[in-house]
Amino acid sequence: MTTAPDPKPNSWMDATAIGLSGLCLAHCLLLPFAVAALPVLGQVAGDHLVHQVLILMAAPLSIWALHRTGGWKKPLVAALAVIGLGLLAAAAFVPVVAAHETLISIIGAVFVAGAHYLNSRLHRRGHKHA
């Protein structure tokens, strides 16, 4: 007999993953304004290393959250997460996409946040598959 999953233990993981995706999104959207307003901040925040550090923090947390909640078993959640994390990783680590790094990062962050949002909603409702 299976019981409905308890939403409380893993809710903070999805919320944190959504928060990190939001941080990435804010970084990508606000960076042009920060660069124009504060050249010193622009040199630090615009550093390619920032994107690499963010994906190295976001990917393990996202994977862990989806593993703990069983979200990776839900095809739509898994697809959104894989596409999003793949786009974020490509933007951070593949030099060929550097010209479109910001756009690719924004799309990837939205996909990851969407995966965790959907996972959180489905988890609270006790669904096993999406």
Side-chain angles (χ1 to χ4, degrees):
M1 181 171 128
T2 59
T3 60
D6 181 13
K8 292 180 184 175
N10 297 309
S11 295
W12 71 271
M13 289 187 288
D14 282 317
T16 303
I18 290 169
L20 283 173
S21 294
L23 178 64
C24 180
L25 185 61
H27 167 77
C28 292
L29 292 174
L30 298 176
L31 183 61
F33 298 107
V35 170
L38 303 166
V40 173
L41 179 62
Q43 290 177 353
V44 175
D47 190 348
H48 191 68
L49 182 62
V50 172
H51 289 153
Q52 293 174 336
V53 169
L54 285 173
I55 185 65
L56 291 174
M57 288 173 26
L61 179 66
S62 291
I63 293 166
W64 185 47
L66 293 175
H67 173 73
R68 296 259 315 185
T69 61
W72 63 274
K73 295 178 184 177
K74 301 168 188 141
L76 182 57
V77 172
L80 287 171
V82 167
I83 291 168
L85 291 172
L87 289 171
L88 288 171
F93 294 104
V94 179
V96 174
V97 299
H100 305 289
E101 179 178 1
T102 299
L103 178 61
I104 292 169
S105 294
I106 290 169
I107 294 168
V110 169
F111 271 59
V112 172
H116 286 284
Y117 176 76
L118 181 60
N119 184 54
S120 177
R121 302 260 318 171
L122 292 172
H123 187 71
R124 270 185 263 161
R125 292 181 181 164
H127 288 94
K128 296 220 181 268
H129 298 286

